[in-house]
Amino acid sequence: MPHAHNPQADSGRTAAQPTAHPTAQPTAHPVGQAGGHSSPRYSGLTTFARLPRIEDVPGHDVAVVGAPFDAGVTYRPGARFGPAAIREASRLLRPYNPRLDVLPFRDRQVVDAGDLPCNPFDIATACKEIEEGAYELIRDGAPLVTLGGDHTIAYPLLRAMHRVHGPVALVHFDAHLDTWDTHWDAPLTHGTPFRRAAEEGLFLPGSSAHVGIRGSLPDPQDLIDDAELGFTIVHCADLETLTVQDVVARLRERIGDAPLYVSVDIDVLDPAHAPATGTPEAGGMTSRELLGIIRGFKGLNLIGADVVEVSPAYDHADITSIAAANLAYELVSLCAPARRFSS
Ligand SMILES: N=C(N)NCCCC(=O)O
Ligand SMILES: [Zn+2]
Ligand SMILES: [Zn+2]
């Protein structure tokens, strides 16, 4: 599908009417990754998975974009460097995803769209910039995977998704609820994006879930307030008895055939699997569990996703960035069609 602005695509669009082009044809001959045999994977300029930049191809079916913003954090800063670190850690991603049996870059034109503009001093301005930048990438219906950035960015991203698809099923992987009303009286922080989104009806509460919630809370009222927003919660402790398949079944039943948005706060992983994050909590998920649950969304209508809260200065041996890059790869892979012929 063309990336160029299409004025007709906007006409008659309202929030309640999904407007993604159901008939849009995928790019005929996608440009894939820079070849691992013609140039070693550790060489060359960095794009996500060594994919072409958006300006290097005529159009895109799926975009990966960075949102280097971290003015909304409450504890350790540094997620503004997340997109660069995740891209660097994505060099080893290969063309074939065997668990999903797809070649995500062969049948869809996947591009690296660079970084969205994000004002580093004014959160409201940054949110507007992120929303507009994301909207330009998705206006013709292309799925978007955003590399954060702190979790504040999920709010403008959901606003952009809503403009194209209407309310979405939201699956939110996180140690934290991120549904506070305000933090230090600030309405736009990484602890508040899903409260703002709920107020604006950006997601379908009955189709949405928090997964991986754990850790100490400022107040017991947090859980009561969150419950009023309509989410179901798969607590991290539930994984002591539920298998990955059980969780997938529960989430799929809830999502149904609604357009799906997946928001992954990397702190849903145990600090052993993701040390480089702003508000780490002990007792988290393994990367294998999280990758398994996300793969379980195969066949659903994924219209967007984010992987946020990677703060690379706290990393060791790129553990966190590698986990984030692989999660983004699975999310992009969910946008690929079933394999039609062997490679
Ligand atoms: N990591 C995210 N998104 N939120 C954490 C907020 C929890 C706190 O600062 O107490
Ligand atoms: Zn979190
Ligand atoms: Zn979060």
Side-chain angles (χ1 to χ4, degrees), residues 38-102:
S38 48
S39 69
R41 286 185 291 233
Y42 45 80
S43 70
L45 297 176
T46 315
T47 58
F48 182 77
R50 308 188 78 218
L51 287 162
R53 301 178 308 165
I54 193 166
E55 53 266 56
D56 294 337
V57 290
H60 67 276
D61 305 313
V62 181
V64 179
V65 73
F69 171 85
D70 67 2
V73 299
T74 51
Y75 201 59
R76 292 171 173 175
R80 66 180 62 185
F81 297 107
I86 299 168
R87 285 193 179 97
E88 199 54 50
S90 72
R91 288 173 170 274
L92 195 54
L93 295 170
R94 304 180 185 84
Y96 179 51
N97 183 331
R99 299 307 301 173
L100 291 176
D101 191 23
V102 293

Side-chain angles (χ1 to χ4, degrees), residues 33 46-51 64 82-94 97 105 145-148 264 266 269 273-274 287 290-291 294-295 306-308 310 315 318-333:
Q33 301 173 276
T46 315
T47 58
F48 182 77
R50 308 188 78 218
L51 287 162
V64 179
I86 299 168
R87 285 193 179 97
E88 199 54 50
S90 72
R91 288 173 170 274
L92 195 54
L93 295 170
R94 304 180 185 84
N97 183 331
F105 313 131
V145 176
T146 305
L147 312 175
V264 180
I266 205 71
L269 297 179
H273 294 257
S287 46
L290 182 54
L291 289 163
I294 287 178
R295 287 178 190 132
D306 58 62
V307 182
V308 300
V310 174
D315 221 352
D318 303 333
I319 296 172
T320 315
S321 302
I322 290 167
N326 279 267
L327 289 161
Y329 178 72
E330 296 299 329
L331 291 160
V332 169
S333 295

Side-chain angles (χ1 to χ4, degrees), residues 74 151 174 176 178 180 183 190-191 265 267 279 309:
T74 51
H151 222 154
D174 205 323
H176 310 99
D178 290 352
W180 288 335
H183 191 60
H190 79 157
D265 184 328
D267 71 30
T279 42
E309 297 284 345

Side-chain angles (χ1 to χ4, degrees), residues 156-173:
L157 291 169
L158 284 167
R159 282 180 61 107
M161 297 291 152
H162 187 265
R163 282 163 69 178
V164 179
H165 300 283
V168 297
L170 168 64
V171 178
H172 166 222
F173 294 95

